[in-house]
Amino acid sequence: SSGINAEWPLRPGAMSKINKEFLLEAITSIQDGSKAKQRKFLETVELQIALKNYDPARDKRFTGTVKLRHVPKKSFKVCIIGDDRHLDEAKSLGYDCKSAEDLKKLNKNKKLVKKLAKGYDAFMASDGLIKQIPRLLGPGLNKAGKFPTSLSHQESMEEKVETVKRTIKFQMKKVLCLSVAVGNVSMEMDELNANIMLAVNFLVSLLKKNWQNVRSLHIKSTMGKPHRIY
């Protein structure tokens, strides 16, 4: 599959197919609905995509990541798998962290590795350790789609964590539907708007026939009803 990474801004004009007022109306409906029926947790806003003229068995499956303007999930949890220097840095910044020794203790136990993967949204590992991860844990993190991002000592850990929190991934699987988190209901309307526009633009740029491959686009909050935006 072809992997593409992008950052804002993307090519202008790609967004023309979405009616701006229509989108703002949908965002307002989602936010009003969430205020009317408040949940005990912060609802995520998802973008749901249905594709057409696409054969997952024959056509090239795509995967791509894009960095949004604003962090979509407030509760996003990152775990640093670090060498001594990175462990000290992670502790001083208040990030959860684990050493190679901690991973060894899991004994490649599938259940324990699965539990570790479930406990975090993303992982980062010191570049010196990253090659050891499959040997220490088996394929569990990879299967969960959470293989660690590499972290070197030349990079700012804080900046890299911030980037990971703002990055979303589109991955074409065997079905013609995709769903990604683009924000949460507590965000300002223009923040949600910017994230949605960017996510849609990027997705369309990944598709072979661009807009001709898009059947429909909806946005919804976790517990709310879907609103069609295309």
Side-chain angles (χ1 to χ4, degrees), residues 39-225:
R39 309 284 170 179
K40 287 191 172 79
F41 66 96
L42 184 62
E43 290 182 83
T44 299
V45 174
E46 293 167 13
L47 171 67
Q48 297 179 331
I49 304 112
L51 301 175
K52 65 178 180 183
N53 306 332
Y54 212 93
D55 179 356
R58 255 206 347 253
D59 287 322
K60 205 169 177 182
R61 289 194 201 170
F62 57 82
T63 157
T65 58
V66 62
K67 188 166 145 190
L68 299 177
R69 283 259 190 103
H70 309 279
V71 175
K73 279 174 84 174
K74 270 192 177 167
S75 59
F76 197 97
K77 275 180 83 178
V78 178
C79 177
I80 311 289
I81 298 166
D83 54 25
D84 292 345
R85 222 173 105 189
H86 274 148
L87 290 175
D88 289 342
E89 197 182 339
K91 282 170 192 159
S92 72
L93 289 166
Y95 300 138
D96 285 8
C97 55
K98 299 207 179 296
S99 65
E101 281 306 308
D102 294 330
L103 301 189
K104 252 183 214 156
K105 285 176 196 158
L106 300 177
N107 269 333
K108 285 194 187 169
N109 179 312
K110 279 183 189 166
K111 268 189 182 162
L112 295 177
V113 175
K114 207 172 177 180
K115 192 180 169 189
L116 172 71
K118 247 187 155 162
Y120 296 95
D121 294 285
F123 292 85
M124 267 185 202
S126 303
D127 49 9
L129 280 177
I130 205 149
K131 286 195 179 93
Q132 297 175 38
I133 304 243
R135 204 173 69 230
L136 292 168
L137 291 177
L141 289 187
N142 212 4
K143 272 188 182 162
K146 293 180 184 176
F147 193 78
T149 305
S150 176
L151 180 67
S152 77
H153 288 289
Q154 284 71 52
E155 296 172 292
S156 150
M157 185 184 283
E158 212 168 356
E159 274 176 30
K160 192 104 186 213
V161 167
E162 190 57 28
T163 295
V164 166
K165 283 182 172 183
R166 280 168 48 193
T167 301
I168 57 166
K169 185 176 186 179
F170 287 105
Q171 197 165 12
M172 179 73 192
K173 297 268 176 75
K174 289 176 187 166
V175 289
L176 290 177
C177 301
L178 299 160
S179 175
V180 290
V182 286
N184 63 71
V185 292
S186 75
M187 284 166 79
E188 297 293 328
M189 182 189 275
D190 56 348
E191 292 177 339
L192 268 172
N193 186 40
N195 275 5
I196 292 164
M197 302 271 263
L198 183 55
V200 170
N201 263 356
F202 179 64
L203 169 77
V204 170
S205 75
L206 288 179
L207 299 169
K208 197 164 70 178
K209 294 183 180 163
N210 304 112
W211 284 98
Q212 288 169 359
N213 287 129
V214 182
R215 183 179 295 283
S216 68
L217 298 171
H218 288 80
I219 52 172
K220 75 180 285 295
S221 65
T222 314
M223 309 298 282
K225 60 179 204 283

